[in-house]
Amino acid sequence: ERFARQQRARIERRFLAGLYYQGEGQGRDLVSPQLLANPELISEIKQHILLMLISINTVVIGLAGIFGYLLAGRTLKPIKEMVDEQNRFVSDASHELRTPLTALKSAFEVYLRETKPTLAESKQLVGESLTDVNKLQVLSESLLQLAQYQQPNRQIPFEKLSLTQVITEAVKKTSTLAKKKNITILTPDIDINISGSTYKLVDLFVILLDNAIKYSQDNSKIDVSMKKFDSGIVISVKDTGIGIAKKDIAHIFERFYRVDQARSKSNESGYGLGLAIASQIVASHHGTISVKSKLHEGTEFIIKLPINARG
């Protein structure tokens, strides 16, 4: 409408100027402004512009809605995963805690029903109760340890350390269990210094050695070796035990996951937290951990760590 008014004013000025020049005898053809101002054309153009604006805005709003939905989903995905992970953690922990607590409750209820419990029965109850309490203590300590490693943005002070000393300390901590099964642990004959947390790396190798000892036959060997590459180091913990089924390998680093076949054959109890903690320790050192295994042939855990990692 503004453009039409401006155009009309321009034509009127030209028309008036033509009248002026005609009065001076110049002789020009005059065109009436009413002939050029076409209301139907203006109305048609307005409708065309309105339809075009509606179409463009519809497309813009539609695209904004689609991209908003996608970006919102992408933004909320980590939050959803965190909430799901927390719910699984609470559910799994509750299930694991309920088992020894139920056993304790049942034992005490049976004892209280006895009219005249003997000293032997009392000692048996205390012994069984202590076993369940020890299980609860191990589980709670493992849960606290795993929760510490899973804290976001948790800074771990690193220092220069000797891997040979770390492995030697881990071997000492598992020597009692190894002696019970007459298992020999072979340690590397080289020493490499890296940056890391001595306490946490000792925990890492204690977990791996403990697993290897539990699921190895008596009078067998466990081989711990390491070698250096460009800017890192590869450590291998290899046993000749019962091995892990192929279907279980992808899940063994998951929290509370336990391999049924290994448990049934070795009669070793556990809560499936050790390898989850080991995975968190390796991740905190900016490394990777993987496993190779075959049933009845043994298992090998391979850890790759950078030499100059920062906490």
Side-chain angles (χ1 to χ4, degrees):
E1 288 176 348
R2 185 168 61 249
F3 176 77
R5 287 196 299 269
Q6 291 173 352
Q7 193 71 2
R8 188 182 297 110
R10 195 177 297 115
I11 294 171
E12 287 175 352
R13 286 195 298 270
R14 193 179 301 168
F15 180 76
L16 293 174
L19 289 176
Y20 175 76
Y21 287 121
Q22 190 180 37
E24 293 184 355
Q26 296 297 323
R28 293 194 174 190
D29 295 332
L30 299 178
V31 180
S32 173
Q34 284 79 8
L35 296 176
L36 295 176
N38 190 340
E40 293 182 359
L41 180 60
I42 293 173
S43 177
E44 183 180 346
I45 292 173
K46 286 171 66 176
Q47 290 180 2
H48 179 70
I49 291 174
L50 182 62
L51 289 173
M52 191 162 58
L53 286 173
I54 292 173
S55 301
I56 291 172
N57 280 297
T58 302
V59 172
V60 169
I61 292 171
L63 290 175
I66 292 171
F67 282 111
Y69 176 79
L70 294 175
L71 292 174
R74 185 174 180 181
T75 303
L76 294 174
K77 185 179 179 181
I79 300 174
K80 183 180 181 299
E81 290 177 350
M82 181 183 67
V83 172
D84 292 342
E85 183 74 10
Q86 185 179 19
N87 290 336
R88 283 196 300 269
F89 180 83
V90 172
S91 176
D92 293 340
S94 300
H95 175 74
E96 296 295 343
L97 287 167
R98 186 165 55 245
T99 302
L101 287 173
T102 302
L104 278 171
K105 181 182 177 182
S106 300
F108 285 131
E109 287 176 346
V110 170
Y111 181 79
L112 289 173
R113 290 195 190 104
E114 294 286 341
T115 54
K116 294 181 179 180
T118 63
L119 180 61
E121 290 174 341
S122 300
K123 287 184 177 180
Q124 183 180 0
L125 174 66
V126 172
E128 293 174 352
S129 300
L130 281 175
T131 300
D132 289 327
V133 169
N134 288 334
K135 290 180 180 179
L136 285 171
Q137 183 179 4
V138 171
L139 176 58
S140 60
E141 289 174 353
S142 298
L143 287 171
L144 287 173
Q145 189 178 11
L146 182 61
Q148 288 176 355
Y149 288 126
Q150 289 183 329
Q151 290 179 6
N153 303 321
R154 184 170 183 266
Q155 296 295 324
I156 300 175
F158 280 9
E159 60 186 354
K160 284 290 182 181
L161 55 89
S162 165
L163 266 181
T164 298
Q165 292 180 2
V166 167
I167 294 171
T168 301
E169 182 65 24
V171 170
K172 286 181 182 178
K173 290 190 174 186
T174 55
S175 60
T176 302
L177 183 60
K179 286 178 181 177
K180 286 181 180 179
K181 301 181 73 173
N182 197 26
I183 292 176
T184 303
I185 301 175
L186 304 176
T187 56
D189 54 0
I190 62 171
D191 190 15
I192 300 175
N193 295 325
I194 67 168
S195 286
S197 168
T198 302
Y199 171 75
K200 289 173 178 56
L201 288 177
V202 169
D203 279 351
L204 168 66
F205 289 106
V206 166
I207 291 169
L208 296 180
L209 288 173
D210 182 74
N211 254 22
I213 294 168
K214 283 180 178 178
Y215 301 123
S216 291
Q217 294 87 355
D218 294 354
N219 306 311
S220 59
K221 293 181 180 180
I222 297 171
D223 186 14
V224 182
S225 61
M226 60 182 175
K227 61 181 179 179
K228 187 177 178 182
F229 62 95
D230 296 337
S231 58
I233 183 170
V234 178
I235 308 106
S236 167
V237 179
K238 187 176 183 180
D239 64 62
T240 55
I242 60 178
I244 304 169
K246 188 176 180 179
K247 65 181 179 65
D248 295 314
I249 288 178
H251 304 284
I252 60 170
F253 295 109
E254 294 177 5
R255 207 170 43 208
F256 294 110
Y257 187 85
R258 284 172 290 191
V259 181
D260 293 335
Q261 188 165 0
R263 188 171 63 227
S264 62
K265 287 194 175 184
S266 64
N267 295 321
E268 295 290 348
S269 61
Y271 293 102
L273 291 173
L275 291 179
I277 295 172
S279 176
Q280 292 293 327
I281 294 173
V282 173
S284 69
H285 284 76
H286 313 291
T288 60
I289 183 169
S290 58
V291 60
K292 296 179 181 178
S293 184
K294 288 185 178 180
L295 283 176
H296 315 299
E297 293 185 15
T299 303
E300 180 182 13
F301 285 93
I302 302 166
I303 304 102
K304 294 182 180 179
L305 297 173
I307 291 178
N308 298 312
R310 293 184 179 181

